[in-house]
């Protein structure tokens, strides 16, 4: 499953696996793909350094990358997290308290800090992550909010690192190309996390045409080798997969209840909601997302206010595994995630499905593949 891009990066298969778990990212790389570690949860540079040290020791010298969340333009300038939190309206704080009380969600222990913070959405935190990351031989820097600032692109290129940016429309993809990025990830509506309104089957060829000859990765709702083959047929040079890895045995969700919810969910059990970060993000539909999407409620705040507002609440819901409210970002491919498997087993299934798809197309076209 080689393409021009996979050869350039030195990987056997053009499968790019995004994950917040170092063990999963390393296993993807060892299996012949390209593991991409999500950095947004690392609020302390030393924690990121620790896990990149671990990645170095467990990737057998094979390439891997890092995904950050950094806006091209600052939403707020010159103020810190405490100043931003002060902007949160009292009515929204009351809504969080009332919702948690309704479902009898216990408080955190006295002095216990929230385990889920989205300070990684703030530019200064992402820049501190890069200060650590560029000391390691990463081969790709991906940005989930589109093109990173121009100086970050230049800095990555100075280190010989390719830059990828996610796009939900051809218009966004053209902006990324003009900004000087190297790879566009065409992420369709079906994807987990932040998405646009255009489905993958429509989006991928539009972006391929819009940014040619830049390489494009197909993303959104992809969880089989047959779908990867379809993405390549549409002009992509690889596939970007995220949700599929959440139920691998190497993943560390810290919640058996959440894993079981994912395994039981169907492709119709997700929703695009602003409840988590303030931007539309696909996630499991829960009574938490329903509460925030209810017109009778106060509505979600813009990023980064919403994420800061709900950080402690999400930590409490996760810690105490409050079933009605318990969720996670995940794409519509969750309907295929019906059993826990190792990353290697998932990879074998992906490559086998790809081979079956190629064989099928060759039969339809009246061609016989060489032995």
């Amino acid at each position: 499953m080689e393409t021009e891009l996979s050869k350039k990066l030195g990987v056997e298969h053009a499968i790019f696996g995004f994950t917040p778990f170092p063990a999963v990212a390393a296993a993807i790389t060892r299996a012949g793909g390209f593991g991409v570690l999500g950095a947004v949860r690392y609020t302390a540079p030393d924690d990121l350094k620790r896990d990149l040290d671990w990645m170095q020791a467990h990737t057998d010298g094979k390439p891997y990358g890092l995904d950050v969340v950094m806006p091209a333009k600052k939403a707020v300038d010159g103020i810190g997290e405490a100043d931003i939190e002060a902007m949160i309206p009292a009515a929204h704080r009351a809504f969080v308290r009332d919702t948690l009380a309704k479902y009898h969600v216990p408080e955190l222990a006295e002095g216990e800090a929230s385990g889920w913070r989205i300070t990684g959405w703030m530019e200064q935190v992402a820049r501190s992550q890069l200060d650590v990351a560029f000391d390691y031989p990463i081969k790709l820097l991906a940005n989930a909010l589109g093109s990173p600032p121009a100086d970050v692109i230049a800095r990555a290129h100075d280190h010989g690192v390719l830059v990828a940016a996610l796009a939900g429309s051809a218009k966004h993809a053209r902006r990324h190309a003009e900004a000087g990025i190297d790879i566009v990830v065409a992420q369709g509506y079906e994807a987990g996390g932040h998405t646009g309104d255009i489905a993958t089957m429509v989006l991928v060829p539009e972006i391929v045409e819009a940014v040619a000859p830049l390489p494009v990765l197909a993303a959104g709702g992809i969880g089989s080798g047959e779908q990867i083959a379809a993405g390549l047929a549409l002009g992509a040079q690889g596939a970007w997969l995220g949700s599929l890895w959440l139920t691998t045995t190497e993943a560390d969700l810290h919640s058996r209840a959440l894993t079981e919810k994912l395994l039981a969910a169907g492709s119709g059990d997700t929703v695009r909601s602003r409840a988590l970060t303030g931007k539309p993000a696909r996630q499991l539909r829960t009574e938490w997302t329903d509460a925030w999407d209810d017109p009778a409620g106060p509505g979600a705040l813009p990023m980064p206010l919403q994420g800061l507002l709900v950080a402690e609440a999400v930590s409490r819901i996760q810690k105490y595994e409050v079933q009605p409210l318990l969720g996670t970002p995940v794409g519509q491919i969750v309907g295929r995630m019906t059993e826990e498997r190792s990353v290697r087993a998932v990879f074998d299934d992906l490559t086998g499905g790809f081979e079956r798809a190629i064989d099928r197309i060759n039969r339809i076209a009246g061609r016989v593949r060489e032995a």
Side-chain angles (χ1 to χ4, degrees):
M1 202 188 299
E2 287 186 329
T3 65
E4 183 179 346
L5 178 61
S6 68
K7 292 176 182 176
K8 182 175 183 178
L9 287 168
V11 296
E12 181 180 0
H13 301 297
I15 297 174
F16 294 73
F18 164 77
T19 174
F21 307 117
V24 176
I28 292 167
T29 286
R30 291 197 306 272
F34 191 95
V36 181
L37 178 65
V40 70
R41 67 191 180 96
Y42 294 99
T43 57
D46 285 347
D47 291 341
L48 178 59
K49 182 180 186 304
R50 177 202 63 215
D51 283 356
L52 288 177
D53 283 340
W54 190 93
M55 290 278 292
Q56 275 294 104
H58 292 84
T59 46
D60 299 337
K62 296 179 179 180
Y64 61 91
L66 191 74
D67 180 279
V68 298
V69 179
M70 177 178 281
K73 296 181 179 179
K74 296 181 181 180
V76 288
D77 196 5
I79 62 175
E81 180 180 343
D83 300 306
I84 297 174
E85 289 216 38
M87 302 177 185
I88 297 173
H92 282 74
R93 294 192 183 279
F95 182 76
V96 171
R97 288 194 300 270
D98 292 346
T99 304
L100 295 177
K102 177 181 177 181
Y103 292 93
H104 309 290
V105 182
E107 298 275 357
L108 296 176
E110 185 175 353
E112 181 179 358
S114 168
W116 188 89
R117 299 295 288 170
I118 64 136
T119 49
W121 298 103
M122 300 172 67
E123 182 181 341
Q124 62 266 37
V125 176
R127 286 186 178 276
S128 71
Q129 294 166 349
L130 296 181
D131 290 339
V132 172
F134 286 133
D135 286 336
Y136 292 82
I138 62 172
K139 299 299 182 184
L140 177 70
L141 175 66
N143 187 38
L145 287 183
S147 302
D151 68 296
V152 172
I153 296 174
R155 186 180 178 190
H157 288 165
D158 287 344
H159 282 82
V161 176
L162 298 180
V163 179
L166 275 66
S169 71
K171 178 177 69 175
H172 294 155
R174 291 189 192 97
R175 290 177 184 168
H176 299 342
E178 292 167 359
I181 62 93
D182 306 289
I183 302 165
V184 176
V185 181
Q187 180 176 267
Y189 171 83
E190 304 95 323
H194 297 113
T195 71
D197 299 309
I198 305 173
T200 304
M201 183 65 73
V202 175
L203 182 67
V204 171
E206 285 187 354
I207 288 184
V208 167
E209 181 179 351
V211 301
L214 281 183
V216 172
L217 299 177
I222 298 176
S224 72
E226 290 85 352
Q227 291 172 304
I228 294 173
L232 299 187
L234 294 172
Q237 288 200 31
W240 177 277
L241 285 69
S243 298
L244 189 65
W245 315 109
L246 288 172
T247 52
T248 57
T249 53
E250 293 89 345
D252 188 11
L253 287 176
H254 298 294
S255 172
R256 185 64 209 171
L258 181 54
T259 297
E260 290 175 355
K261 286 190 80 168
L262 288 169
L263 295 173
S267 57
D269 292 329
T270 68
V271 63
R272 284 171 77 243
S273 171
R274 298 178 183 269
L276 194 61
T277 69
K279 285 183 176 291
R282 185 171 298 283
Q283 53 203 282
L284 281 179
R285 182 174 181 175
T286 66
E287 294 187 34
W288 177 257
T289 62
D290 286 349
W292 281 103
D293 296 337
D294 188 338
L301 296 168
M303 179 187 286
L305 298 179
Q306 180 71 12
L308 293 172
L309 168 66
V310 304
E312 181 182 324
V314 172
S315 287
R316 289 165 59 184
I317 291 165
Q318 291 178 346
K319 177 178 180 178
Y320 299 109
E321 297 187 329
V322 183
Q323 280 279 357
L325 307 180
L326 187 63
T328 185
V330 70
Q332 291 181 332
I333 198 62
V334 70
R336 292 183 62 94
M337 295 156 52
T338 57
E339 60 179 331
E340 291 180 86
R341 298 180 293 166
S342 68
V343 168
R344 170 59 71 177
V346 172
F347 237 86
D348 288 345
D349 185 54
L350 293 173
T351 54
F354 180 83
E355 291 289 341
R356 290 191 298 271
I358 298 302
D359 287 343
R360 186 180 303 119
I361 294 301
N362 279 323
R363 288 196 303 271
I364 291 171
R367 293 190 297 267
V368 178
R369 297 181 63 218
E370 295 181 2

